[in-house]
Structures are given as C-alpha cells and as structure tokens.
Amino acid sequence: METVLNMLQDPNVQWVLLGTILLGIASGVIGSFALLRKQSLLGDAMAHAALPGICIAFLLYGAKSMSWFLIGASISGLIGTYCIQAIIKHSRIKEDTAIGLVLSVFFGFGIVLLTYIQQNGSGNQAGLDSFIFGQAAAIVGLDVQIISVIAFVLIFITFILFKELKLITFDPQFAQGIGLPVKWLNGLLMTMIVGAVVIGLQAVGVILMAAMLITPAITARYWTERLDYMVVLAGIVGGVSGVVGTLLSTLSRGMPTGPLIILAATLLFLFSLLFGTKKGILPKMVKQWKVKRLITRENVLSSLYELSETTLKESEGKEMGSYSFQQVVELRPVSSLMLLAVIKELKKEGLLAEEQANKQLMLTEKGLELAHEIVLKNRLLDMYLMFESKFPVSNWREGSMDLLNGPKEIIDELRALLKDFGREPNGLFLYKKKRKLGNKGFHSAVEGSEG
Amino acid sequence: MSYEGWIILTGSLVGITCGLTGCFLILRRMAMLADAISHTVLLGIVGAYLVSNSLDGIYMFAGALVVGLLTAFFIQLLHSSGVQSDAAIGVVFTSLFALGVILVSLYAGRIHLDVDHALMGEIAFVPWDTLTIAGIDVGPRAVWMLGAVLIINLAIILLFYKELKICSFDPEMALAIGIPVMFMHYLLMGMLSITTVASFDSVGAILVVAMLIAPGASAYLLTDKLSIMLLLSAGIGVASAVLGYYAASLFNVSISGMMASMAGILFILTFFLSPKHGLVMKWFFRRSLSKESNGLQ
C-alpha cells in the first residue's frame, strides 16, 4: 500500500495515470456507440491498420514524435476503414472477411515497415515496437497533453451531438427521414473511433486496443438499457480499468500495460456478466425463479379451489373437503421441491390449512377468496382467448393480461360467456351460501368477491 | 535442400494449409473467429509450456487445441447468453490474449518464448531447428509439423467434404437433414487451432490471419465452385509465400510480414481484375450495357 502511495507522488506516474484514465473514459464513451452499431471489431481493424501509419510517419519525419505518429496512425486507420467499406460495397465479400483481411494485411505491412526501419533507419528508433503492446511507462508529459486534448474533444463532441449520434445508432432511416446528415455523422463517428484508437496505441498497443472499445461498453450494457447511462458507465469502467492496469504495471517491472488494463476491464465484465442488474446471469435466474414460484403458487391454489368446488357442489355447500398432495399435483403438475416451499408459504399467510394427522390440505376462507380470484381470472382469460376475434384490439392486452382490470363491457361479456359454458367458478358462492353470508342472488355474490 | 528451399517449402506449406482452412471460414462468415483463435493460441502455448515445461511440438498442439476450442466455446456461450457476436468475439479473444501476454511476461525468465517472436514468427530460423530421427537429420521441425497438419486437414476435408460444404452454404438444411452441425463447427475450430499453431512458428500468430483469410477471399472472387475455390486458395497461398520470400530478401525485411503483404496485393489484383467479380470487368460490362441501350434508342 505504501509503495502505491509513494508511487502516486511521483509526477511521472501521475502523468501516466491521467493519460490512461482519460483514454479509458474516451474509449468507453465512443465504444458504446461502436458496440450498439455492431462495429466493435472495426475498432480492432483500425488499431491494426494504424501500425503502418506510425511507421511511415517515422520514416518521413525521421524521429519519434507523438503528434506525427498520431497523424500517421489516424490516416492509415481511416484508409483501412475505407478499404473495408469499399470491399464490402464493391464485391461479394462479407463484412467479417473484409475486416479480417484489412486487419491482417495492414498489420503485416506494418511489420514489414518496422523491420525495414530497424535495419535501415537512422537515429533512435527503439521503442517503436512498444506500440504493439503499449508501454504506459513511456508516456511523458507532452503525450499526456495530446491524449487529454483529443480525449476531451471526443467527449465534448459526444456531449454536443448526443441526440444525433443516438438517432443514427438506433434508427438511421428515421434520422435520414428527418433530414439529418447521416452520411456525415457516420463519417464523424468513424473518425471519433479512429481518434479513440489512436490515443490508446501508446498505452494499450495495437493488438489489444479493440478491447478498450468493446469491453467497457459491453460491461455497461449489463447494468442499463439507456444510452446516456450506458455511455457514462462505460466511461467509468474504462477509467477504472485504466487506473488499475497502470498501477499494476508500474508496480512490477517489465509488465506490459495494455494486457493488464484489458484484464482489469475483463474482470469488471465478468462481474457484470454475473451480477449485472439488467442482463446479468444471477438476476435473470432470480427473476425466473420468482416467476416460477408465483406460477406454482397460483397452480396450487387453483387446483385446491377446483377440488373444493367439486366437493362443495356434491355436498351442496356443506363441506369443503381436504385433499392429499397427490391430488393437487395430479391436477396441475408442479415440481415437488417448489410445491413444499409454496405450501409452507401459503400456510404462513393463513391461506391454507393442513391436517397434521393424514397430511391433507384444505383452503381457509381467506385462501378460498384469493383462489376464487385467480381461477376467475384464468377462466376469463380462457374465454377471451377462445373468442379473441370478437373483442376489439386494445392496449390492456399487451403486458400483464390482467383481465380483471380490463374495460367493463368486455368483462361483462366474458362473464356471460363463462356462464353459458357452465365454467363460472362458484366454489366461493356455495361456501358463502352455506355460511349464510350472502342471501342475495348468485351474481351479486360473485360480483362482491371482486376486489 | 538449401536454406532458401526449406524456407520456401515451409512458407508454401503454410499457404496451402491456411488457404484450405480459410475457405470454409470465409464461406461460413467466421473470418473473425480466425483472428480470435490465432490470438488465443498464444495462451495455449504458454499454458502448455507451464504445465509440461517443454516446448515440444505435441504439447503445443494439445495446448493450442484446447484453448482454441475453449475460445470458440466461450464465444458461443456469450453469444447464446445475449451478447452480439462481434462483441463476444472481441471480449473473449482480447482477454485470453492479454492473459497469455501477462503469463509470458511473468515467466519471462523461465520461458523460452518471446512475445514478438510469437506474434510475428521468424521463418528465417526455421531451417536451423531440425528434427533428428534415429540420428539422421530429416529436415526442419516446422516442415514436419506443417506437413502433418496439412495431412490431417486434407483428411478431414476429404472425409467430410459433403458435410462441410452443406454446413457452409446452408446450415439450416444441414441441420434438417441430420448433419451434426455443432460437431462440424468444433471440427473446423479444431482444424483452425492446429493450423494456427503449426504456422505459429513460421509466420506468427497474427500474420497467420492474413494467410487464412486473404487467399480464400481472393479465391472467392474467382470462382463459384467450392472445389475450385479450395484449389485456387491453396495456390494463392503458395504464391503469396514464394513472392513474399523473394520480396523480403530483396528489401531485407520481415519475411512473414512480406508474405502477408503479398497476400494482400494478390487480393487487390483479384479485386480489380477477377474475370467474374472484378471491378474492371464489372465496369466494362456496365459500359457495354449502356452503349447497347443507347444504340437501341
């Protein structure tokens, strides 16, 4: 811990840290758009394609210079992107092949130039190959200033044009329709991706730069479904990975920074994959389990209600009867583990009573009321589905299908249908008649139970 | 055989092996999986080294095969859990590759493996690393390795030609007539892994992608028949290797890099000049068509 604190006081380390944080934020923000536009691997191609640009910049300028490298890298990255699009447009070659082709051929050419420089170059060319894996420790003050300026510009443009970028990401046709310069905006976004790639080359390197665009964005995707939150979150994830990776790499000598930053981001990704609130595996499982439990609960109640209904009818409302687990499961199969848990829960809520002696289950009065509601709802739904074409399309059909909250006239019609088919649930009515709770008509008793 | 001869032979073997495998990847739109697996093979080799403590061919193959199949499996897993396929590829291969690089750096003292070498390969050293059987020098180890992989790949392609073909062009139909599509997928991924690891020594992990994709892509623009495409792709692979070698010795630069560049140049030539799908032919066709229609008016 102390070494970390000591390190943090080193101005050089501070520069490096600032650089990787800004880089992480910018690439996370831009990467979100690339990801949603399904262009994540384009970033990979751009990063690889930047290598020959760096070498040519060195050959032309004759010395190492961050700004010339950036210009060279951007130009060859953009040429690579253009090549990919031209190949897709003018031949039958598909996107993935075009990306792989450009990526590998440009990288190969970059290696050729690199060896050419190493053999024939004059002056100090050492460290040029640090662009392949990145060496954050090599970043100095001036580099950080350049990185910061570009990162700020990228974030600023995203902020200003957020609405437009959002539109061309999700609905390019509509954007075209309302007269946005879609082609121009696409080009701008492409240039922004190149920008993010280029400033990352020194810290993360050519090969792994793609991960800086993809991993933070996909991590953020597990926590939110809104683009604005996603962009912010991806920026944070990128920044945090940058810090962690850089600190680890400065702690240990000879460790390349790029892979460590990527590994930090990957750990965050794995955490989100498991626990992410929107799409994470565990929350999804919990949700599924909850739904399953709810269905089991409704199934058990409905089965008991139907059994009681028969008994009440046969005994003319004198007794409800009690039933074994077997009978309940026979009517609607449920898994035994879930059944036990649900029965325990129902007993706790006072909806169910169990005769300890012979393990028979029976509904309580409260349970009967609730079960009545569930059965009524399901039977109304059956009727609705049988005569779906009779009813006008309406909003309440979407989503919950809660028929009891639907429009009154439809429910009345469905009730009439239920009566015609003799499927009206009347267990509760018979029970109440026995208890002399309602001496009104049959229908009013059923009406009264709504609520 | 001369020093030069061995290098050209090695390069040609890489060209044929990669060219054949690459065709299926292109047709199945899985070219980026080649990129992914060629990166993660590094982890397989490092892992195999750490486990077995030797850089023997067979361990490297086993490690690469395992990690290659794992890569394909992870990508499939993420994809089926709702991650779009390009992002799934990107996340999986970068993280496994990063892990490989970190392991190499951690055990840099112990491991006889240099990341630059692993990525860019050094075909120039291939002829010196020879294999001796019963005291007789039988030639470079890489040639034997590539030869073995080529035979395995050829055997797989000949045995499962029909299945691979149907899976490439119409996966739904393949599924409907009872071809084990998933098995074919992993078979192809296995082929890809061993091809990558065999070529790894000579052209390096990243440049193998060029040899996998570029010849196949050029062949795809030249023909509509799979059998001819395979032959053409292998031929273009050999041509890139031979041309690459001479160009590299002319300029005294990286041989593997030059081979990749040559594969790219050959692709550019086909892209413009292919008799069927080339840009120039298309342009001529369009012009003659418009002349004809002008004549009609």
Side-chain angles (χ1 to χ4, degrees), chain A residues 218 222 269 273 279, chain B residues 78-88 91:
Chain A
I218 192 89
Y222 278 91
F269 164 71
L273 178 69
K279 287 167 78 189
Chain B
L78 275 188
H79 186 47
S80 60
S81 84
V83 180
Q84 64 200 47
S85 65
D86 60 333
V91 170

Side-chain angles (χ1 to χ4, degrees), chain B residues 207-241:
Chain B
L207 295 175
V208 78
V209 183
M211 292 305 258
L212 277 166
I213 299 177
S218 313
Y220 188 49
L221 291 182
L222 289 171
T223 176
D224 287 336
K225 254 181 94 77
L226 178 61
S227 48
I228 299 178
M229 181 178 166
L230 285 169
L231 290 176
L232 274 176
S233 174
I236 295 170
V238 172
S240 334

Side-chain angles (χ1 to χ4, degrees), chain A residues 34-41 44 48 86-87 90-94 96-97 99-101 103-105 107-109 111-112 114-116 119-120 129 132-133 207-208 210-211 214-215 218 222 254-256 259-260 262-263 266 269 273 279 284, chain B residues 25-26 29-32 35 39 78 81-84 86-87 89-91 93-95 97-99 101-102 105-106 115-116 119-120 206-207 209-210 213-214 217 220-221 223-224 251-254 257-258 260-261 263-264 267 271 277 279 282:
Chain A
L35 179 87
L36 292 171
R37 289 164 58 94
K38 305 208 180 345
Q39 286 175 334
S40 341
L41 288 176
D44 195 22
H48 282 75
I87 290 173
H90 295 297
S91 78
R92 58 174 181 168
I93 284 174
K94 305 293 177 305
D96 63 319
T97 308
I99 292 177
L101 185 76
L103 174 159
S104 54
V105 170
F107 189 73
F109 186 55
I111 298 289
V112 167
L114 207 61
T115 42
Y116 180 79
Q119 255 129 44
N120 308 321
D129 51 356
I132 292 176
F133 283 116
I207 296 173
L208 288 171
I214 302 172
T215 314
I218 192 89
Y222 278 91
M255 285 288 260
L260 285 169
I262 303 312
L263 219 57
T266 307
F269 164 71
L273 178 69
K279 287 167 78 189
K284 225 193 241 169
Chain B
L25 295 172
I26 290 170
R29 300 186 190 179
M30 289 177 177
M32 286 319 280
D35 185 39
H39 282 77
L78 275 188
S81 84
V83 180
Q84 64 200 47
D86 60 333
I89 292 177
V91 170
F93 94 78
T94 49
S95 47
F97 183 73
L99 197 62
V101 175
I102 288 171
S105 325
L106 266 183
V115 176
D116 285 359
L119 290 181
M120 286 159 260
I206 305 224
L207 295 175
V209 183
I213 299 177
Y220 188 49
L221 291 182
T223 176
D224 287 336
F251 296 109
N252 190 21
V253 291
S254 155
M258 210 60 200
S261 310
F267 174 79
F271 182 67
H277 302 282
L279 272 193
K282 275 189 195 157

Side-chain angles (χ1 to χ4, degrees), chain B residues 148-234:
Chain B
V149 169
L150 177 60
I151 289 168
I152 295 173
N153 282 354
L154 275 178
I156 292 176
I157 291 175
L158 288 177
L159 263 178
F160 296 107
Y161 184 73
K162 199 181 65 195
E163 284 83 353
L164 282 171
K165 190 175 175 178
I166 298 178
C167 286
S168 307
F169 288 104
D170 199 341
E172 277 89 16
M173 170 170 163
L175 205 61
I177 61 173
I179 293 173
V181 177
M182 262 303 145
F183 172 73
M184 290 326 255
H185 175 70
Y186 283 107
L187 191 70
L188 195 62
M189 292 302 117
M191 263 167 78
L192 179 59
S193 306
I194 58 171
T195 305
T196 312
V197 76
S199 322
F200 178 83
D201 234 7
S202 25
V203 286
I206 305 224
L207 295 175
V208 78
V209 183
M211 292 305 258
L212 277 166
I213 299 177
S218 313
Y220 188 49
L221 291 182
L222 289 171
T223 176
D224 287 336
K225 254 181 94 77
L226 178 61
S227 48
I228 299 178
M229 181 178 166
L230 285 169
L231 290 176
L232 274 176
S233 174

Side-chain angles (χ1 to χ4, degrees), chain A residues 139 179 241 288 338 341:
Chain A
I139 298 179
S241 329
Q288 274 172 357
M338 197 67 106

Side-chain angles (χ1 to χ4, degrees), chain A residues 333-346:
Chain A
V334 285
S335 77
S336 46
L337 209 72
M338 197 67 106
L339 178 71
L340 289 177
V342 165
I343 285 176
K344 204 172 155 191
E345 183 192 84
L346 288 174

Side-chain angles (χ1 to χ4, degrees), chain A residues 312 315-320 428-438:
Chain A
L312 280 166
S315 66
E316 289 176 350
K318 288 201 179 70
E319 54 182 303
M320 285 246 292
L428 186 69
F429 166 68
L430 288 168
Y431 177 78
K432 283 193 174 167
K433 202 165 98 181
K434 180 195 111 185
R435 288 287 210 79
K436 308 237 182 294
L437 280 177

